[in-house]
Amino acid sequence: MVSVLKFGGSSVASATNMSRVLDIVEKEAAKGKVVLVSSAISGCTDALLKGDEKSLADMEKRHRDIVTRLFTGTERKQVQEKVDALFADLRKAPREEQVTYGEILSTTLLCAKLQAEGIPAVWLDSRVLVVKEDEAESFRRIKQAIESTEAAIYVAPGFICRNREGKVDTLGRGGSDYSAALYAAAIGAGSLQIWTDVPGFMTANPKQVPAARTIPKMSYAAALDMASHGAKVLYAPTVAPAMAAGIDIEIRNSFAPEGKYTVIGAQADPERWIGVTSEGERIRIVGSQAAVSDTDREAVSKALSEAGIAARTIRADGTSLDVEVREAVLEQALKALHRAFFQELPVEEINLFIAGDGAVAQALTGMLQQTAVTVKERTGKLLRVVGRANSRRWGIDPGGRPQLSRDGDYVSAVLQSAPKGSLFVDVTNSETLYKRYVELLEAGIGIVSSNRRSLAVPYPEFAAMRAAARENGVPFRYETTVGAALPMLESIARGANSCNEVLSIEAVVSCTLNQILGDYRPGGESFASLVRKAQAAGLTEPDPRLDLSGRDALRKLLILAREAGVHLEEKDVEITPVVPLAGGSVEEFYASLEAQEEALSRAAREAEAQGFRRRFVASLEKTPEGYRAGIGIRNVPPVHPAYHLRGTENAIIVRSAFHPYPLVIQGPGEGAREAASSILNDLLR
């Protein structure tokens, strides 16, 4: 079997590239005879067309450099003499013939190198063998020349030929591909390989559409269509001789010989649409199997419309579509059409390791299952729960079905098994888990946390977590720690990041106390009774004194302040509990709380008489001496945003240097689904 291999100018542009070409050719020669067809080295044809002495001198130097690097000793001297003689002939040749010397020079070097390596190689003169516009005569001459000469590798210049009058001529720019097809058809080659600097025919020009991908297989008709409408990877006339002889054309990348490539043949294409090409203001979407339908035209119109582009015309042409747009928006149009016909949204798989098995964790896993398809389509992300843990047991399964079956250190197991880019999701109430955060972040594992205990730690430890996240380029997100699904932290951080100094923060962020204070009416149910109801509903800690003490509000205020750039610590916050907190058992506490009913009722009546409502407010205020922070019950008037809060709603009021009016964020501050929704948003950010 004889193979024909054609190499473009970039493939032979230097001694290194020529060596790479010869490696490819010699590997193919192990299977049978080879015809090597080559273009001139890159830039040579343009220099020869200019014809000025500077351009010629530059080309002469480049060829001399290749000889110096490719050959040694006597061989170098002999080849250099050949190159010098060719440049001497070039300078004496008629102006119209000078352009033909580029291919003669490159193939002379390639053939000489093969011979120097002891490989039987013969140089064929395409100026004699290829007759322009006479394929039959070209076939006869080529076949006779090869059959009459014994060699392992035949080396022939592309591009050049003779015309019917016997004068030296060319086949036109890109004609080396056509030369190779003529040689292949003449000898009935088993393979025609066009080696270039791209991995085959692509769905679009990768310089215009970076997402373009290689088309593995296409028909002669589709290749001819694309080559005729702007795809520079193949010279269009190349197709006809190969198709007539039934020879497949392979478009390969000489810089990645083992990589992807395209096979062009007689078989129908496996995909209906083949690629997008362009010339000037015209775009052609090349199809392969079925005629264009109204649905296809609508898809083009929709894709352009969504990109904000108006098509001048959309016209069907057999199995392809012609689209005309303004040249100024050509690249945007190409990308939009490529997405519509050829691109699936790239999917990024993200492994999730969840710690916690309470209501929020269960709501989150359910939400992940319900929204998986939508999330994948909208964001290109596939969130997979591969690890789960409760306070006693854990399980990890790369397949996505972890079972709580193992004892021991869950975080260490995550560190051992989680690939970089994974996310650790803390939906626990642990007061110690944060101590492992830095380890996780340094291992390239991002963290999404709803555990405010893990964030309301001494500032140096908080700062170390954030620094570890930055240094390792991984996310560290905790929006849900304050306000559940409300974007409180994000809003404050954006202002601080844009140098908008926070002047004050007022935060009603204790769902428990907002519910109790909102429901409390003097003469109605006692305050103690309402606290018992909140405890029964799961709104308080097992010991409700932790809520009434303002401990939960303190944690949230610390997190809010730090997002604003204020390094607040617990000792800096003055807390006034809702009531004096007695020691002893929980029941003893409730008894003391009933004893305080009269004082609580009196305070509530006084507020009501003034038109106020009582709210448990955490505040941060800038003063000339610095920031002052406090937590306690405050009577708020009807004009205050917190006045109208209901149930477990939260609110935050932020005043800043840049804006005359405060930023107010208000909404549900409690609920497993709300928290899960916020965590999901953090996972997808």
Side-chain angles (χ1 to χ4, degrees), residues 203-204 209 211-213 276 333-343:
T203 50
V209 182
R213 63 179 189 269
V276 179
L334 285 168
K335 289 174 183 175
L337 293 171
H338 191 271
R339 282 195 300 271
F341 282 97
F342 306 104
Q343 285 178 241

Side-chain angles (χ1 to χ4, degrees), residues 3-290:
S3 299
V4 177
L5 280 65
K6 177 267 174 181
F7 293 88
S10 59
S11 298
V12 294
S14 65
T16 300
N17 290 6
M18 283 192 176
S19 294
R20 186 182 295 114
V21 163
L22 294 174
D23 287 342
I24 294 169
V25 171
E26 289 171 22
K27 185 176 180 181
E28 192 68 24
K31 306 172 189 175
K33 291 188 176 183
V34 171
V35 177
L36 191 172
V37 177
S38 179
S39 299
I41 69 173
S42 61
C44 185
T45 301
D46 288 334
L48 296 179
L49 285 170
K50 285 183 181 178
D52 59 273
E53 184 53 37
K54 182 181 182 308
S55 298
L56 294 180
D58 287 346
M59 276 302 110
E60 190 167 11
K61 181 180 183 305
R62 281 186 63 190
H63 284 84
R64 280 179 169 273
D65 289 344
I66 291 173
V67 172
T68 300
R69 293 191 60 191
L70 214 54
F71 298 91
T72 59
T74 303
E75 290 162 353
R76 178 188 291 171
K77 182 175 182 297
Q78 292 172 346
V79 176
Q80 190 58 67
E81 288 173 353
K82 286 184 181 180
V83 169
D84 291 343
L86 286 171
F87 271 99
D89 291 345
L90 186 163
R91 287 181 168 86
K92 292 183 289 188
R95 184 75 182 83
E96 65 275 10
E97 289 187 19
Q98 289 184 351
V99 71
T100 65
Y101 276 80
E103 280 71 16
I104 296 172
L105 284 159
S106 63
T107 52
T108 295
L109 294 178
L110 291 167
C111 189
K113 184 61 177 174
L114 288 167
Q115 292 169 344
E117 293 179 357
I119 297 172
V122 172
W123 187 81
L124 301 176
D125 192 346
S126 296
R127 294 171 297 184
V128 175
L129 304 182
V130 179
V131 182
K132 191 172 185 177
E133 297 178 353
D134 192 340
E135 289 189 355
E137 179 61 19
S138 298
F139 293 164
R140 187 189 68 78
R141 294 186 181 204
I142 291 168
K143 185 177 181 182
Q144 183 180 26
I146 290 178
E147 289 180 348
S148 63
T149 310
E150 188 59 37
I153 300 174
Y154 301 86
V155 183
F159 179 59
I160 62 178
C161 63
R162 70 168 52 225
N163 58 32
R164 287 178 175 176
E165 288 72 42
K167 293 183 178 180
V168 175
D169 205 340
T170 72
L171 298 171
R173 295 303 291 264
S176 291
D177 290 354
Y178 181 47
S179 301
L182 292 175
Y183 275 93
I187 58 177
S191 172
L192 170 57
Q193 302 171 19
I194 307 294
W195 290 81
T196 180
D197 56 3
V198 293
F201 257 106
M202 304 189 75
T203 50
N205 182 343
K207 293 179 181 177
Q208 296 171 308
V209 182
R213 63 179 189 269
T214 298
I215 302 167
K217 192 173 183 63
M218 61 196 305
S219 66
Y220 294 123
L224 180 59
D225 197 341
M226 289 187 70
S228 300
H229 291 89
K232 306 300 184 186
V233 70
L234 183 68
Y235 184 50
T238 306
V239 175
M243 182 167 62
I247 302 170
D248 285 353
I249 305 171
E250 298 175 9
I251 310 295
R252 291 177 171 265
N253 184 355
S254 61
F255 299 95
E258 304 303 322
K260 295 179 179 179
Y261 62 96
T262 300
V263 177
I264 302 166
Q267 291 186 355
D269 305 307
E271 296 185 22
R272 181 177 173 207
W273 295 104
I274 293 299
V276 179
T277 63
S278 65
E279 288 181 298
E281 299 178 337
R282 296 185 181 277
I283 298 170
R284 189 163 177 92
I285 307 170
V286 178
S288 62
Q289 291 183 352

Side-chain angles (χ1 to χ4, degrees), residues 519-543:
D519 290 346
Y520 182 61
R521 298 289 183 273
E525 284 189 82
S526 70
F527 194 87
S529 176
L530 292 173
V531 174
R532 281 187 183 275
K533 279 188 175 181
Q535 184 181 13
L539 288 177
T540 74
E541 298 286 346
D543 186 340

